[in-house]
């Protein structure tokens, strides 16, 4: 398992995941930049993701859905706000309607991904920033914390097949 630390900070309104990989930064960056690699890990194993749009540029949009074991589809979207390849990515992530478009009045989570490399290894830190404590608790109750741990745990397999 690649996840080495998970920290829920109710004062800072963040949920942070730290993962370590035996791969260089440029290779780990590709699990975000390449939508086919992203599909292989974004979402827990029983809820695989399909990206129907992936504009990996600042202000770019992504649209995706995760498909549950019973065929249920949960749609989501991203708007990319910062790209500093291959070390930093920031985006807003929210729930989508049946076409993956943002749901009116839904508050997105702002996600900051940083990659730090040394000696051919990479530490990836993913910090989820919530609008308020109610949103943080609602998403944790929905399973976000465990879901992200399971999703991130799939990246080693993606990297081994790069």
């Amino acid at each position: 398992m690649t996840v080495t630390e998970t920290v829920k900070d109710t004062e800072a309104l963040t949920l942070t995941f730290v993962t370590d990989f035996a791969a260089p930064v440029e290779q780990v960056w590709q699990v975000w930049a390449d939508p086919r690699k992203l599909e292989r890990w974004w979402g827990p194993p029983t809820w695989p993701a399909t990206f129907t749009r992936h504009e990996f540029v600042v202000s770019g949009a992504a649209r995706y859905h995760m498909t549950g074991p019973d065929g249920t589809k949960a749609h989501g979207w991203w708007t990319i706000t910062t790209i500093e390849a291959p070390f930093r990515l920031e985006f807003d992530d929210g729930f989508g309607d049946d076409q993956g478009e943002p749901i009116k009045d839904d508050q997105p989570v702002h996600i900051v991904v940083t990659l730090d490399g040394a000696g051919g290894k990479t530490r990836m830190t993913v910090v989820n920033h919530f609008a308020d404590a109610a949103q943080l608790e609602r998403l944790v109750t929905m399973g976000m914390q465990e879901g992200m741990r399971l999703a991130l745990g799939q990246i080693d397999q993606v990297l081994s097949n790069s």
Side-chain angles (χ1 to χ4, degrees):
M1 177 70 62
T2 57
V3 178
T4 59
E5 184 178 10
T6 303
V7 178
K8 176 182 161 188
D9 186 333
T10 54
E11 287 187 26
L13 301 175
T14 59
L15 182 57
T16 302
F17 300 88
V18 178
T19 55
D20 291 315
F21 302 103
V25 168
E26 294 79 10
Q27 186 180 2
V28 177
W29 179 257
Q30 288 305 307
V31 304
W32 294 96
D34 181 335
R36 303 300 70 95
K37 290 180 182 178
L38 186 57
E39 287 177 331
R40 293 175 50 206
W41 72 270
W42 183 259
T46 58
W47 283 82
T50 301
F51 277 77
T52 56
R53 186 171 170 189
H54 187 261
E55 300 165 352
F56 201 67
V57 296
V58 173
S59 298
R63 300 294 183 264
Y64 66 92
H65 63 270
M66 296 184 296
T67 305
D70 65 355
T72 301
K73 291 186 178 178
H75 293 266
W77 59 271
W78 293 358
T79 299
I80 296 174
T81 57
T82 302
I83 293 179
E84 296 170 9
F87 302 105
R88 186 178 186 90
L89 169 66
E90 295 187 32
F91 60 97
D92 294 327
D93 178 32
F95 292 106
D97 62 19
D98 288 343
Q99 288 73 47
E101 295 303 314
I103 294 175
K104 185 179 167 118
D105 299 327
D106 179 49
Q107 294 177 310
V109 175
H110 185 72
I111 300 175
V112 178
V113 180
T114 55
L115 302 176
D116 296 302
K121 296 182 180 184
T122 302
R123 171 162 281 185
M124 180 170 72
T125 304
V126 180
V127 182
N128 298 271
H129 296 266
F130 299 89
D132 54 38
Q135 181 191 34
L136 169 59
E137 290 307 319
R138 179 173 57 92
L139 291 175
V140 167
T141 299
M142 289 176 65
M144 180 183 184
Q145 188 167 356
E146 183 60 20
M148 276 295 290
R149 282 183 46 79
L150 291 169
L152 292 165
Q154 300 174 109
I155 294 176
D156 278 329
Q157 182 67 33
V158 175
L159 294 170
S160 71
N161 293 329
S162 292

